[in-house]
Each structure stands twice: as C-alpha cells, then as structure tokens.
Amino acid sequence: MLKSVRSLPIRREGVLLGLLLALLLWVSGTNLGVWESRSSGSSYNDFLDVADSRQGGDLEQWRVRLPWHTKSKRVPQTNVVHHVPGWTIFDNLYVLNGTVYVVTDEPETVPSRETMTSTAIRIANGAEVVKARLPTDREMRIVSTEEAGELFGPAIEIIDGITGRTPLPSLRRIWFAHTDSDHWRDYAHMNEWVLRSTFPSLTSEYLNDWDERAELGRPFILDRVIFSDRAAAMHGQGFLSTDRIAAEAFELPGSLHWWSTIRNNVIKFAGLDEDVYAGITDSPVITYISRQEWGRRMLRNEDHERLVKELYALRDEHGYEVNIVSMDKLSRVEQIRLAARTTIMMGVHGNGLTSLIWMKPTARSAVIEFFYPGGFAHDYEYTARSLGMMYYGVWDNKTFTSAELPHVAYPEGFQGNSIPVDGSAIAKLCRERLSIKSE
C-alpha cells in the first residue's frame, strides 16, 4: 500500500515517486504494496485458515482469513523492516475503520508517529498548519497484541499479495488513501504511462475505495506495505536540506543499480533495446532541451544561438549526434527514446530535464543544468546523483558539481527570460566529458 496525502503532484515529483517505488522494491527484496513472499521468522502462516483446491495432485491455498485463536492467542506483531521519515516498510500492518494499527509489545522500537503519517490536510506554510498535520489516534495507533486481540476479535481479513518469486516481482497494488483518481496524475500523463508500462498487473485504489473499506467495519491485515506520507517526510534531514520529500527515500540502503530494471522495462516498452549504450560504444549523443518557446525561464536569445552554434561545431568536428529539442513538442515515446540514447543532457532548470531518468549511467553520462547566476534548486541534482550520473550546475561561465553545491536560492531573474550561459564553456565541458574512453 502506498499512502499519500492530498496535494496536487507536479510532474517531476510524480515521476520521482516512480523512482522511489523502485528503490523501495529493491530494499525490501520482495513485492511492493501487499506482499506474500516473506522472510523467515516473520511469517504468519501458522495462523492461517486456507481453502484448498486440488487439481492433478497440486494444492492451491486461498488465504482469506487469519484466525489467531486456533494456535496462538497473540495477534501477529507488526515489524518495521526499514524506515526513514515519510517512507516506512512494514510487515503485518493492520487497518480498521480507516485507522492504521501497528501491533507491537515493544512500542519503543517503532519510529515516532509523525515521521510515518499525518492528518493528510493540504500542505501549506504556517505554524498552525504544521501543527494540524501531526497525526492523532484517528490516523495511526500503536497497540499491544493484547489490545489488538480485543479490537480485532478472533480473526481478521487478509489483503493477499502475489504468489511466487521473481528477481523483481511486478507491482501488485497501490492505495492512495487521501487522493482521488485524478490528482495523482500529472498534466503530461507520464506517471500512469510509466507505472502501467513497468507494472502491467498494477491495480490502484483511491480515497473512495479507502472510505469503502473503512465503512465495512472489518479489520484487515496487509502482509507487506510500503507506507509513504509527504508531510511525514518533512521531518527528515534530507527534506530540510533539499526541500524535496524524495530526498528521504534516498537515505535507504540499496544497490547502485536500483533503477536499471525500471528503466529497462520502460525503454523496451517504448521500442528500444535495453542495452542502448549512451555513447560508450556508439557515437555520443548530446541533447539540449530548449525552453526558448516557453515564455518563462529562458536563455538570452543571443546566448541560446551561440550555444546551438557551439554544439553543432562539436557535431561537425567530432561526429557527435546533437539534438536541439522542445520536450513538449515530442510524444512520450519520443521523449523516452531520445533520453535513453542521450550521453549528455542539458537545459535550463525545468520539467524537461525529468527525462534524465531514462539516460543510461556511464562514465561519460552527465546532466548540465543552467541557472540564473546565484540561483539553485536541488531537483535534478539529487536525481542525477541518485542515478549515478555526473551533474554540473552552470552560472553563465561558472560550473559547480554535487561536491560543491551552493545554497538553494531563487533570486530575481530566476524565473526570467534573460538567463546567461557561455556556449563555449559548455562546449568545452562536453568535450572533456566525451574524451573519457571507458568505464
């Protein structure tokens, strides 16, 4: 289950949510949402009532109810598998009347409630609003096994997960407990396109579904849950240093290649081979995402023209492929195909740079982001860094990397149409990156 607060997603945060789901998939080592695969020592199979169906000697088990009075008087306890503010992986999480229950006889081992959930009111500034977001017993309760037995009765309904194991099982179910079916979609419809192409068996439930389950008045147990709350993530140091909830999930342990399976699924769905090499064995590809027709956050026209001229000179001199594109003029498939082949992506700070998530991380791969001098935002820096790619921020002819980032700032001119950039400096940077011969 993915639990979210009611707030309108922007495109970059929506797509980044897909990144985080993939990260948590790897961390858990099994399925997302509601899970059947379980680690030893935390199984509730000893408690199960099953309905048997025999065909050809095989036994198929349908898990529908979990009674604890038959072999044990204790309700199976909740286990916190991993946690950072706003992102928690649970085994055996309970829901009754719309309230989430953590069942444990060791409450001191459970993270503080405000770092896991919130009241789900719309996020806004101000001390009173921040206070109003703090969760109460209506949102989440932490109870003992004895209390749980009294609350839930002698048995509980199971929301079952996936049978069988694969290296990366398909995403089975997402619950948006405080968001309707429209408000999780971004204006470009990239969120649903990516999720449906990557996880074709995905089912989603929304606010109305959550309310319907609450009205049943029956307790449910969720085998394995990734529990996400945007307001809860705001209590973490990652958010406080970047102003982005996604930064918290990057603190979880995981493989350096955590995103590769998702990327490969999406680009194959878009019609490309997953082994597109992004300029290591083929000719390097430079993609400049232009905003010159957007009317906001644009380069000075003369600097744009000079940059294009310098990039075309690299093409003519070295044989690089150079693309000057406006992402809003391309279809989703065209955007993904282009980004998947791109070695160096560049552009003014903006949504078009979200496509960097389809690039293949290599020794040459780099993201170059142009800012009005003195301005900076973490959005694409931490995304590039989390994917293992080199990042350069640019103030005209000055560059900085993830090792020496400036403070977040939005000076006058940040959103304007007179952003300077030195085309020759950018061409030199590209030449240096593409001179790298191997991994």
Side-chain angles (χ1 to χ4, degrees), residues 31-57:
N31 307 331
L32 172 65
V34 181
W35 312 69
E36 178 166 359
S37 305
R38 305 194 54 82
S39 57
S40 60
S42 61
S43 175
Y44 56 48
N45 286 333
D46 289 343
F47 299 92
L48 287 176
D49 276 349
V50 296
D52 297 345
S53 174
R54 297 179 181 272
Q55 292 184 354

PDB file of all heavy atoms in Angstrom, residues 31-57:
ATOM      1  N   ASN A  31       7.902  -8.156  -2.957  1.00  0.00           N
ATOM      2  CA  ASN A  31       6.915  -7.392  -3.714  1.00  0.00           C
ATOM      3  C   ASN A  31       6.513  -6.093  -3.055  1.00  0.00           C
ATOM      4  O   ASN A  31       6.597  -5.945  -1.858  1.00  0.00           O
ATOM      5  CB  ASN A  31       5.649  -8.241  -3.876  1.00  0.00           C
ATOM      6  CG  ASN A  31       5.955  -9.584  -4.451  1.00  0.00           C
ATOM      7  OD1 ASN A  31       6.911  -9.717  -5.185  1.00  0.00           O
ATOM      8  ND2 ASN A  31       5.171 -10.574  -4.107  1.00  0.00           N
ATOM      9  N   LEU A  32       6.016  -5.156  -3.862  1.00  0.00           N
ATOM     10  CA  LEU A  32       5.553  -3.876  -3.358  1.00  0.00           C
ATOM     11  C   LEU A  32       4.065  -3.922  -3.070  1.00  0.00           C
ATOM     12  O   LEU A  32       3.314  -4.613  -3.716  1.00  0.00           O
ATOM     13  CB  LEU A  32       5.836  -2.778  -4.395  1.00  0.00           C
ATOM     14  CG  LEU A  32       5.234  -1.413  -4.101  1.00  0.00           C
ATOM     15  CD1 LEU A  32       5.855  -0.813  -2.858  1.00  0.00           C
ATOM     16  CD2 LEU A  32       5.410  -0.501  -5.284  1.00  0.00           C
ATOM     17  N   GLY A  33       3.638  -3.112  -2.138  1.00  0.00           N
ATOM     18  CA  GLY A  33       2.218  -2.960  -1.874  1.00  0.00           C
ATOM     19  C   GLY A  33       1.783  -3.965  -0.817  1.00  0.00           C
ATOM     20  O   GLY A  33       2.079  -3.807   0.339  1.00  0.00           O
ATOM     21  N   VAL A  34       1.095  -4.999  -1.224  1.00  0.00           N
ATOM     22  CA  VAL A  34       0.704  -6.071  -0.318  1.00  0.00           C
ATOM     23  C   VAL A  34       1.437  -7.320  -0.776  1.00  0.00           C
ATOM     24  O   VAL A  34       1.370  -7.690  -1.931  1.00  0.00           O
ATOM     25  CB  VAL A  34      -0.814  -6.291  -0.359  1.00  0.00           C
ATOM     26  CG1 VAL A  34      -1.210  -7.382   0.607  1.00  0.00           C
ATOM     27  CG2 VAL A  34      -1.524  -4.995  -0.016  1.00  0.00           C
ATOM     28  N   TRP A  35       2.135  -7.971   0.122  1.00  0.00           N
ATOM     29  CA  TRP A  35       3.136  -8.960  -0.269  1.00  0.00           C
ATOM     30  C   TRP A  35       2.793 -10.333   0.275  1.00  0.00           C
ATOM     31  O   TRP A  35       2.294 -10.458   1.382  1.00  0.00           O
ATOM     32  CB  TRP A  35       4.503  -8.570   0.310  1.00  0.00           C
ATOM     33  CG  TRP A  35       4.867  -7.148   0.093  1.00  0.00           C
ATOM     34  CD1 TRP A  35       4.297  -6.039   0.666  1.00  0.00           C
ATOM     35  CD2 TRP A  35       5.875  -6.660  -0.761  1.00  0.00           C
ATOM     36  NE1 TRP A  35       4.905  -4.908   0.224  1.00  0.00           N
ATOM     37  CE2 TRP A  35       5.871  -5.256  -0.652  1.00  0.00           C
ATOM     38  CE3 TRP A  35       6.802  -7.272  -1.619  1.00  0.00           C
ATOM     39  CZ2 TRP A  35       6.745  -4.458  -1.360  1.00  0.00           C
ATOM     40  CZ3 TRP A  35       7.682  -6.472  -2.306  1.00  0.00           C
ATOM     41  CH2 TRP A  35       7.643  -5.089  -2.186  1.00  0.00           C
ATOM     42  N   GLU A  36       3.138 -11.373  -0.472  1.00  0.00           N
ATOM     43  CA  GLU A  36       3.009 -12.726   0.060  1.00  0.00           C
ATOM     44  C   GLU A  36       4.359 -13.299   0.426  1.00  0.00           C
ATOM     45  O   GLU A  36       4.479 -14.028   1.388  1.00  0.00           O
ATOM     46  CB  GLU A  36       2.330 -13.647  -0.943  1.00  0.00           C
ATOM     47  CG  GLU A  36       2.235 -15.072  -0.424  1.00  0.00           C
ATOM     48  CD  GLU A  36       1.300 -15.886  -1.240  1.00  0.00           C
ATOM     49  OE1 GLU A  36       0.713 -15.370  -2.181  1.00  0.00           O
ATOM     50  OE2 GLU A  36       1.148 -17.076  -0.921  1.00  0.00           O
ATOM     51  N   SER A  37       5.403 -13.002  -0.364  1.00  0.00           N
ATOM     52  CA  SER A  37       6.734 -13.511  -0.056  1.00  0.00           C
ATOM     53  C   SER A  37       7.167 -12.949   1.283  1.00  0.00           C
ATOM     54  O   SER A  37       7.017 -11.777   1.540  1.00  0.00           O
ATOM     55  CB  SER A  37       7.718 -13.072  -1.148  1.00  0.00           C
ATOM     56  OG  SER A  37       7.268 -13.474  -2.409  1.00  0.00           O
ATOM     57  N   ARG A  38       7.738 -13.800   2.139  1.00  0.00           N
ATOM     58  CA  ARG A  38       8.062 -13.330   3.478  1.00  0.00           C
ATOM     59  C   ARG A  38       9.414 -13.865   3.905  1.00  0.00           C
ATOM     60  O   ARG A  38       9.848 -14.931   3.501  1.00  0.00           O
ATOM     61  CB  ARG A  38       6.990 -13.777   4.477  1.00  0.00           C
ATOM     62  CG  ARG A  38       5.602 -13.357   4.062  1.00  0.00           C
ATOM     63  CD  ARG A  38       4.620 -13.487   5.182  1.00  0.00           C
ATOM     64  NE  ARG A  38       5.056 -12.778   6.360  1.00  0.00           N
ATOM     65  CZ  ARG A  38       4.885 -11.466   6.544  1.00  0.00           C
ATOM     66  NH1 ARG A  38       4.326 -10.742   5.614  1.00  0.00           N
ATOM     67  NH2 ARG A  38       5.291 -10.883   7.658  1.00  0.00           N
ATOM     68  N   SER A  39      10.071 -13.106   4.761  1.00  0.00           N
ATOM     69  CA  SER A  39      11.344 -13.549   5.305  1.00  0.00           C
ATOM     70  C   SER A  39      11.089 -14.521   6.459  1.00  0.00           C
ATOM     71  O   SER A  39      10.064 -14.470   7.108  1.00  0.00           O
ATOM     72  CB  SER A  39      12.140 -12.340   5.813  1.00  0.00           C
ATOM     73  OG  SER A  39      11.388 -11.626   6.774  1.00  0.00           O
ATOM     74  N   SER A  40      12.058 -15.377   6.705  1.00  0.00           N
ATOM     75  CA  SER A  40      11.896 -16.342   7.785  1.00  0.00           C
ATOM     76  C   SER A  40      11.814 -15.620   9.118  1.00  0.00           C
ATOM     77  O   SER A  40      12.453 -14.605   9.335  1.00  0.00           O
ATOM     78  CB  SER A  40      13.080 -17.309   7.790  1.00  0.00           C
ATOM     79  OG  SER A  40      14.285 -16.604   7.983  1.00  0.00           O
ATOM     80  N   GLY A  41      11.001 -16.155  10.018  1.00  0.00           N
ATOM     81  CA  GLY A  41      10.888 -15.564  11.347  1.00  0.00           C
ATOM     82  C   GLY A  41       9.756 -14.576  11.478  1.00  0.00           C
ATOM     83  O   GLY A  41       9.378 -14.221  12.578  1.00  0.00           O
ATOM     84  N   SER A  42       9.174 -14.099  10.365  1.00  0.00           N
ATOM     85  CA  SER A  42       8.097 -13.114  10.471  1.00  0.00           C
ATOM     86  C   SER A  42       6.820 -13.617   9.807  1.00  0.00           C
ATOM     87  O   SER A  42       5.900 -12.876   9.580  1.00  0.00           O
ATOM     88  CB  SER A  42       8.518 -11.795   9.820  1.00  0.00           C
ATOM     89  OG  SER A  42       8.780 -11.988   8.445  1.00  0.00           O
ATOM     90  N   SER A  43       6.769 -14.944   9.505  1.00  0.00           N
ATOM     91  CA  SER A  43       5.613 -15.484   8.796  1.00  0.00           C
ATOM     92  C   SER A  43       4.421 -15.638   9.718  1.00  0.00           C
ATOM     93  O   SER A  43       4.558 -15.942  10.898  1.00  0.00           O
ATOM     94  CB  SER A  43       5.958 -16.844   8.191  1.00  0.00           C
ATOM     95  OG  SER A  43       4.827 -17.422   7.614  1.00  0.00           O
ATOM     96  N   TYR A  44       3.223 -15.419   9.148  1.00  0.00           N
ATOM     97  CA  TYR A  44       2.017 -15.711   9.917  1.00  0.00           C
ATOM     98  C   TYR A  44       1.325 -16.957   9.374  1.00  0.00           C
ATOM     99  O   TYR A  44       0.168 -17.221   9.662  1.00  0.00           O
ATOM    100  CB  TYR A  44       1.057 -14.525   9.935  1.00  0.00           C
ATOM    101  CG  TYR A  44       0.607 -13.988   8.598  1.00  0.00           C
ATOM    102  CD1 TYR A  44       0.149 -14.814   7.577  1.00  0.00           C
ATOM    103  CD2 TYR A  44       0.609 -12.617   8.365  1.00  0.00           C
ATOM    104  CE1 TYR A  44      -0.291 -14.314   6.389  1.00  0.00           C
ATOM    105  CE2 TYR A  44       0.166 -12.105   7.153  1.00  0.00           C
ATOM    106  CZ  TYR A  44      -0.286 -12.951   6.179  1.00  0.00           C
ATOM    107  OH  TYR A  44      -0.710 -12.428   4.987  1.00  0.00           O
ATOM    108  N   ASN A  45       2.019 -17.804   8.604  1.00  0.00           N
ATOM    109  CA  ASN A  45       1.397 -18.990   8.008  1.00  0.00           C
ATOM    110  C   ASN A  45       0.853 -19.947   9.072  1.00  0.00           C
ATOM    111  O   ASN A  45      -0.095 -20.695   8.817  1.00  0.00           O
ATOM    112  CB  ASN A  45       2.408 -19.719   7.119  1.00  0.00           C
ATOM    113  CG  ASN A  45       2.648 -18.979   5.819  1.00  0.00           C
ATOM    114  OD1 ASN A  45       1.781 -18.258   5.350  1.00  0.00           O
ATOM    115  ND2 ASN A  45       3.842 -19.143   5.252  1.00  0.00           N
ATOM    116  N   ASP A  46       1.469 -19.950  10.257  1.00  0.00           N
ATOM    117  CA  ASP A  46       0.991 -20.856  11.301  1.00  0.00           C
ATOM    118  C   ASP A  46      -0.417 -20.504  11.758  1.00  0.00           C
ATOM    119  O   ASP A  46      -1.092 -21.318  12.388  1.00  0.00           O
ATOM    120  CB  ASP A  46       1.930 -20.796  12.513  1.00  0.00           C
ATOM    121  CG  ASP A  46       3.265 -21.453  12.217  1.00  0.00           C
ATOM    122  OD1 ASP A  46       3.333 -22.217  11.230  1.00  0.00           O
ATOM    123  OD2 ASP A  46       4.227 -21.197  12.955  1.00  0.00           O
ATOM    124  N   PHE A  47      -0.882 -19.300  11.453  1.00  0.00           N
ATOM    125  CA  PHE A  47      -2.184 -18.855  11.910  1.00  0.00           C
ATOM    126  C   PHE A  47      -3.288 -19.063  10.875  1.00  0.00           C
ATOM    127  O   PHE A  47      -4.450 -18.860  11.161  1.00  0.00           O
ATOM    128  CB  PHE A  47      -2.136 -17.356  12.244  1.00  0.00           C
ATOM    129  CG  PHE A  47      -1.168 -17.012  13.336  1.00  0.00           C
ATOM    130  CD1 PHE A  47       0.133 -16.660  13.045  1.00  0.00           C
ATOM    131  CD2 PHE A  47      -1.571 -17.039  14.663  1.00  0.00           C
ATOM    132  CE1 PHE A  47       1.011 -16.324  14.049  1.00  0.00           C
ATOM    133  CE2 PHE A  47      -0.695 -16.697  15.674  1.00  0.00           C
ATOM    134  CZ  PHE A  47       0.613 -16.346  15.375  1.00  0.00           C
ATOM    135  N   LEU A  48      -2.920 -19.409   9.649  1.00  0.00           N
ATOM    136  CA  LEU A  48      -3.849 -19.247   8.528  1.00  0.00           C
ATOM    137  C   LEU A  48      -4.959 -20.286   8.462  1.00  0.00           C
ATOM    138  O   LEU A  48      -4.743 -21.472   8.705  1.00  0.00           O
ATOM    139  CB  LEU A  48      -3.069 -19.303   7.207  1.00  0.00           C
ATOM    140  CG  LEU A  48      -2.221 -18.079   6.882  1.00  0.00           C
ATOM    141  CD1 LEU A  48      -1.442 -18.328   5.602  1.00  0.00           C
ATOM    142  CD2 LEU A  48      -3.104 -16.857   6.733  1.00  0.00           C
ATOM    143  N   ASP A  49      -6.158 -19.793   8.083  1.00  0.00           N
ATOM    144  CA  ASP A  49      -7.214 -20.642   7.553  1.00  0.00           C
ATOM    145  C   ASP A  49      -7.086 -20.599   6.046  1.00  0.00           C
ATOM    146  O   ASP A  49      -6.948 -19.533   5.471  1.00  0.00           O
ATOM    147  CB  ASP A  49      -8.595 -20.086   7.921  1.00  0.00           C
ATOM    148  CG  ASP A  49      -9.021 -20.514   9.317  1.00  0.00           C
ATOM    149  OD1 ASP A  49      -8.356 -21.389   9.891  1.00  0.00           O
ATOM    150  OD2 ASP A  49     -10.020 -19.944   9.806  1.00  0.00           O
ATOM    151  N   VAL A  50      -7.112 -21.760   5.365  1.00  0.00           N
ATOM    152  CA  VAL A  50      -6.994 -21.763   3.914  1.00  0.00           C
ATOM    153  C   VAL A  50      -8.107 -22.593   3.312  1.00  0.00           C
ATOM    154  O   VAL A  50      -8.614 -23.533   3.921  1.00  0.00           O
ATOM    155  CB  VAL A  50      -5.631 -22.337   3.437  1.00  0.00           C
ATOM    156  CG1 VAL A  50      -4.490 -21.461   3.916  1.00  0.00           C
ATOM    157  CG2 VAL A  50      -5.430 -23.772   3.920  1.00  0.00           C
ATOM    158  N   ALA A  51      -8.479 -22.245   2.104  1.00  0.00           N
ATOM    159  CA  ALA A  51      -9.414 -23.055   1.332  1.00  0.00           C
ATOM    160  C   ALA A  51      -8.602 -23.825   0.306  1.00  0.00           C
ATOM    161  O   ALA A  51      -7.815 -23.239  -0.424  1.00  0.00           O
ATOM    162  CB  ALA A  51     -10.437 -22.148   0.643  1.00  0.00           C
ATOM    163  N   ASP A  52      -8.749 -25.160   0.274  1.00  0.00           N
ATOM    164  CA  ASP A  52      -7.922 -25.990  -0.590  1.00  0.00           C
ATOM    165  C   ASP A  52      -8.631 -26.316  -1.889  1.00  0.00           C
ATOM    166  O   ASP A  52      -9.809 -26.617  -1.903  1.00  0.00           O
ATOM    167  CB  ASP A  52      -7.578 -27.307   0.114  1.00  0.00           C
ATOM    168  CG  ASP A  52      -6.761 -27.077   1.366  1.00  0.00           C
ATOM    169  OD1 ASP A  52      -6.246 -25.955   1.517  1.00  0.00           O
ATOM    170  OD2 ASP A  52      -6.645 -28.036   2.170  1.00  0.00           O
ATOM    171  N   SER A  53      -7.867 -26.286  -2.980  1.00  0.00           N
ATOM    172  CA  SER A  53      -8.378 -26.697  -4.280  1.00  0.00           C
ATOM    173  C   SER A  53      -7.351 -27.621  -4.909  1.00  0.00           C
ATOM    174  O   SER A  53      -6.247 -27.172  -5.210  1.00  0.00           O
ATOM    175  CB  SER A  53      -8.608 -25.463  -5.172  1.00  0.00           C
ATOM    176  OG  SER A  53      -8.977 -25.877  -6.456  1.00  0.00           O
ATOM    177  N   ARG A  54      -7.710 -28.913  -5.067  1.00  0.00           N
ATOM    178  CA  ARG A  54      -6.743 -29.879  -5.582  1.00  0.00           C
ATOM    179  C   ARG A  54      -7.042 -30.186  -7.042  1.00  0.00           C
ATOM    180  O   ARG A  54      -8.140 -30.548  -7.393  1.00  0.00           O
ATOM    181  CB  ARG A  54      -6.793 -31.172  -4.755  1.00  0.00           C
ATOM    182  CG  ARG A  54      -6.397 -30.963  -3.308  1.00  0.00           C
ATOM    183  CD  ARG A  54      -6.496 -32.258  -2.525  1.00  0.00           C
ATOM    184  NE  ARG A  54      -6.152 -32.063  -1.135  1.00  0.00           N
ATOM    185  CZ  ARG A  54      -4.925 -32.133  -0.647  1.00  0.00           C
ATOM    186  NH1 ARG A  54      -3.909 -32.370  -1.473  1.00  0.00           N
ATOM    187  NH2 ARG A  54      -4.698 -31.959   0.628  1.00  0.00           N
ATOM    188  N   GLN A  55      -5.999 -30.022  -7.863  1.00  0.00           N
ATOM    189  CA  GLN A  55      -6.110 -30.356  -9.284  1.00  0.00           C
ATOM    190  C   GLN A  55      -4.825 -31.063  -9.678  1.00  0.00           C
ATOM    191  O   GLN A  55      -3.747 -30.482  -9.578  1.00  0.00           O
ATOM    192  CB  GLN A  55      -6.285 -29.091 -10.126  1.00  0.00           C
ATOM    193  CG  GLN A  55      -7.627 -28.408  -9.887  1.00  0.00           C
ATOM    194  CD  GLN A  55      -7.818 -27.214 -10.793  1.00  0.00           C
ATOM    195  OE1 GLN A  55      -6.901 -26.837 -11.519  1.00  0.00           O
ATOM    196  NE2 GLN A  55      -8.991 -26.644 -10.787  1.00  0.00           N
ATOM    197  N   GLY A  56      -4.960 -32.308 -10.095  1.00  0.00           N
ATOM    198  CA  GLY A  56      -3.777 -33.047 -10.509  1.00  0.00           C
ATOM    199  C   GLY A  56      -2.772 -33.248  -9.399  1.00  0.00           C
ATOM    200  O   GLY A  56      -1.582 -33.296  -9.640  1.00  0.00           O
ATOM    201  N   GLY A  57      -3.251 -33.307  -8.164  1.00  0.00           N
ATOM    202  CA  GLY A  57      -2.346 -33.538  -7.048  1.00  0.00           C
ATOM    203  C   GLY A  57      -1.751 -32.276  -6.470  1.00  0.00           C
ATOM    204  O   GLY A  57      -1.064 -32.329  -5.456  1.00  0.00           O
TER     205      GLY A  57
END
